[in-house]
C-alpha cells in the first residue's frame, strides 16, 4: 500500500510538459505596386523667339489639383529664362448665376509669364515644370532662332533712251542710215553730194 501510494503521488506531482521552441514562421508584408506618374502637359506660347531680342513667353501646365491643403501652383525653369517663374491657377470659366448652380470645379491648369534674355544663343531649350502641390513634372521645348533677313525694298528703274525716235528726215536721217544701211557714212556723203549736183544742173538749165 505504501509503495502504491508513493508511486501514485510521484506520478501526480510530475509537472505537465510544455512545448518547447518558438514558432518558426514569420509574417512578412509586401509593398503595394507604385503607380508610375505620367508627365503633365506643358505648353509654351510662343514656342519660338528671335535671338538677340528680349522676349516674353507664356507657360501653361496641366497640374493636378492637390488635396489636403497644398497650394495649387507650379514652377517653370529653363536656361533660356532670366529666372524661374511661378505658375498660378487659371481661373475656371464663370457660370451664369442661378439658384441651383453648383460652384465650378477648379481648373487643373496653371500659367505664368517668363522673360527670355536677348543674350541667349540660338538653339532649342528645355522648359521644365514641377507642380508644387503634387510633385508632378513635365517639360516642353522653346526654340531660339536667328532673325529673318530684311527683304530689299523695290526700286523703280528709269530707262534713258540712247537715241531719238525715228521722226524721218532731219538730223536722224544720217544716223539711221549709218546704223541700218550697208552704205556707210561715206556712201551717205556721196549720195548727198550727188543730190546737190543734180539740183545745181537743174537750176542752170532753168536759167538757160
Amino acid at each position: 500500500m505504501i509503495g502504491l501510494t508513493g508511486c501514485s503521488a510521484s506520478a501526480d506531482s510530475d509537472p505537465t510538459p510544455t512545448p518547447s521552441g518558438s514558432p518558426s514562421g514569420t509574417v512578412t508584408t509586401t509593398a503595394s505596386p507604385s503607380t508610375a506618374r505620367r508627365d503633365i502637359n506643358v505648353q509654351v506660347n510662343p514656342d519660338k523667339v528671335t535671338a538677340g531680342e528680349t522676349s516674353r513667353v507664356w507657360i501653361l501646365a496641366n497640374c493636378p489639383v492637390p488635396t489636403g491643403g497644398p497650394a495649387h501652383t507650379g514652377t517653370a525653369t529653363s536656361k533660356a529664362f532670366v529666372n524661374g517663374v511661378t505658375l498660378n491657377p487659371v481661373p475656371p470659366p464663370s457660370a451664369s448665376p442661378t439658384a441651383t448652380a453648383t460652384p465650378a470645379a477648379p481648373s487643373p491648369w496653371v500659367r505664368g509669364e517668363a522673360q527670355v534674355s536677348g543674350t541667349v544663343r540660338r538653339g532649342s531649350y528645355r522648359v521644365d515644370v514641377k507642380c508644387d502641390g503634387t510633385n508632378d513634372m513635365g517639360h516642353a521645348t522653346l526654340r531660339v532662332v536667328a532673325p529673318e533677313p530684311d527683304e530689299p525694298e523695290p526700286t523703280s528703274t528709269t530707262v534713258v533712251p540712247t537715241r531719238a525716235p525715228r521722226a524721218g528726215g532731219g538730223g536722224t536721217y544720217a544716223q539711221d542710215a549709218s546704223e541700218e544701211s550697208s552704205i556707210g557714212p561715206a556712201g551717205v556723203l556721196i549720195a548727198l553730194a550727188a543730190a546737190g549736183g543734180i539740183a545745181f544742173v537743174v537750176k542752170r538749165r532753168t536759167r538757160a
Side-chain angles (χ1 to χ4, degrees):
M1 292 293 291
I2 296 173
L4 294 175
T5 304
C7 291
S8 62
S10 62
D12 294 337
S13 62
D14 291 339
T16 304
T18 58
S20 61
S22 59
S24 58
T26 58
V27 180
T28 58
T29 58
T30 57
S32 59
S34 59
T35 304
R37 290 185 175 179
R38 297 181 180 179
D39 291 344
I40 61 172
N41 185 7
V42 179
Q43 301 176 11
V44 179
N45 186 26
D47 60 355
K48 180 177 66 174
V49 296
T50 303
E53 299 178 0
T54 301
S55 308
R56 292 185 176 273
V57 296
W58 281 95
I59 301 96
L60 188 67
N62 187 13
C63 284
V65 179
T67 57
H72 183 210
T73 57
T75 303
T77 56
S78 176
K79 292 182 179 180
F81 296 167
V82 175
N83 47 33
V85 180
T86 300
L87 309 180
N88 295 312
V90 177
S94 58
S96 56
T98 58
T100 59
T102 57
S107 171
W109 292 93
V110 292
R111 66 182 177 184
E113 189 179 26
Q115 182 176 354
V116 181
S117 173
T119 59
V120 175
R121 296 181 179 180
R122 291 177 294 172
S124 298
Y125 294 85
R126 176 166 168 161
V127 178
D128 293 304
V129 172
K130 179 181 179 182
C131 303
D132 299 333
T134 59
N135 291 329
D136 289 274
M137 293 182 292
H139 66 274
T141 302
L142 172 67
R143 293 185 300 155
V144 180
V145 299
E148 297 181 358
D150 296 334
E151 295 183 359
E153 298 181 357
T155 56
S156 58
T157 304
T158 303
V159 179
V160 179
T162 58
R163 63 179 181 177
R166 295 183 182 180
T172 61
Y173 172 78
Q175 185 176 3
D176 291 343
S178 63
E179 292 181 357
E180 298 182 2
S181 65
S182 59
I183 299 176
V188 173
L189 293 176
I190 294 173
L192 292 176
I198 294 172
F200 178 75
V201 172
V202 171
K203 281 187 176 182
R204 290 189 62 182
R205 289 182 178 180
T206 304
R207 291 179 179 177

